[in-house]
Amino acid sequence: MGKLIIKFNDVVIDQIVLQQGDMHIGRQPGSDILLDNLAVSGTHASIFTVGDDSFIQDQNSTNGTFINNKRVNKHHLRNGDMVTIGNHTLIYVNESAVAAVPDLAKTVVVRPEQASAMLTAAAQGGTAIAEPPAAKTRSRSGAIFILSGASSGKRVDLVKAVTNLGKAGKRAGVINRNPDGSYILQSGGAEVKPKLNGAAVDADGKELRNGDIIEIAGSRMQFYLK
């Protein structure tokens, strides 16, 4: 799991282990990563972590968020990246993180072996927790998370009855949201059928579970429940 080494005026003042999900960075009391300096906005940036991957996104801060001296809006963090926020430097350390992969159909690529663990970690210590029973799970809303490519770091909430997957104009798969809150992955009519956790999806489709890996046209994305 990644961590941030926090420095102020070149002096190390803290180390923060990144937890799964969202962590907020800012001057406002109650921030997950509190940087008490006037150069830092109240809510300055956020870090979203899924598995071994972490993404930082600026939250329309006044003074901006910089990665290796370059101002960014969002960025997929790499081991050794230097994040500058005001007078603070946050060094990202994660030797287990994998390198980015090429953009494939503007979807995502993650490692298959992470499927069962991603986004099912507890808030403390990254300890895996069991998925809630189906009846409780369906009260939660679904989303897919993009880990690479042009939309890297973007979350897409599955609020529509039907969400098309694949390249523009070439529907490779669909996710249907049922009235009971369940989500079903089905083929979009393409010759190559989508896969769910490595297995081809049949004509009837497959119900999605938290952490499932979807493969479409050589690309992968992850489904999770919020």
Side-chain angles (χ1 to χ4, degrees):
M1 184 175 294
K3 65 179 179 180
L4 292 174
I5 298 174
I6 302 177
K7 301 172 69 176
F8 182 73
N9 292 336
D10 293 326
V11 176
V12 176
I13 60 173
D14 202 357
Q15 291 190 30
I16 302 291
V17 176
L18 297 177
Q19 306 298 329
Q20 297 290 301
D22 280 308
M23 295 184 73
H24 298 285
I25 305 172
R27 194 178 76 249
Q28 181 175 325
S31 298
D32 299 300
I33 302 174
L34 179 63
L35 304 180
D36 190 10
N37 185 268
L38 292 177
V40 181
S41 296
T43 301
H44 196 106
S46 64
I47 291 181
F48 187 88
T49 298
V50 53
D52 284 332
D53 297 283
S54 294
F55 303 83
I56 188 167
Q57 182 164 355
D58 187 78
Q59 299 295 322
N60 298 316
S61 64
T62 300
N63 294 320
T65 300
F66 296 79
I67 306 293
N68 304 324
N69 297 318
K70 179 181 178 181
R71 187 165 185 165
V72 299
N73 179 42
K74 59 185 177 182
H75 177 78
H76 185 177
L77 290 168
R78 300 288 184 270
N79 185 45
D81 274 350
M82 182 176 66
V83 183
T84 303
I85 295 178
N87 296 319
H88 288 80
T89 300
L90 293 70
I91 301 173
Y92 178 72
V93 179
N94 189 354
E95 296 179 355
S96 64
V98 296
V101 296
D103 183 15
L104 297 172
K106 293 187 177 180
T107 54
V108 303
V109 177
V110 294
R111 293 178 294 170
E113 62 267 29
Q114 291 178 316
S116 62
M118 286 183 174
L119 291 175
T120 57
Q124 297 182 351
T127 303
I129 57 175
E131 187 173 341
K136 293 182 180 180
T137 297
R138 291 180 180 179
S139 66
R140 299 156 67 188
S141 60
I144 54 176
F145 187 73
I146 300 177
L147 295 176
S148 66
S151 299
S152 177
K154 181 180 179 181
R155 258 184 314 206
V156 179
D157 292 323
L158 302 174
V159 295
K160 298 180 180 179
V162 177
T163 300
N164 295 321
L165 305 174
K167 294 181 180 179
K170 295 183 179 181
R171 188 175 66 173
V174 296
I175 295 177
N176 294 312
R177 182 182 184 184
N178 293 330
D180 65 358
S182 62
Y183 293 84
I184 306 296
L185 173 66
Q186 293 182 311
S187 171
E191 182 177 348
V192 179
K193 304 302 181 185
K195 292 183 179 181
L196 182 64
N197 300 324
V201 174
D202 57 29
D204 295 330
K206 292 289 185 181
E207 183 173 353
L208 292 171
R209 301 293 182 185
N210 194 30
D212 277 349
I213 298 299
I214 302 168
E215 297 178 66
I216 291 183
S219 303
R220 295 174 185 167
M221 63 189 69
Q222 184 175 24
F223 171 82
Y224 72 98
L225 291 164
K226 298 186 293 177

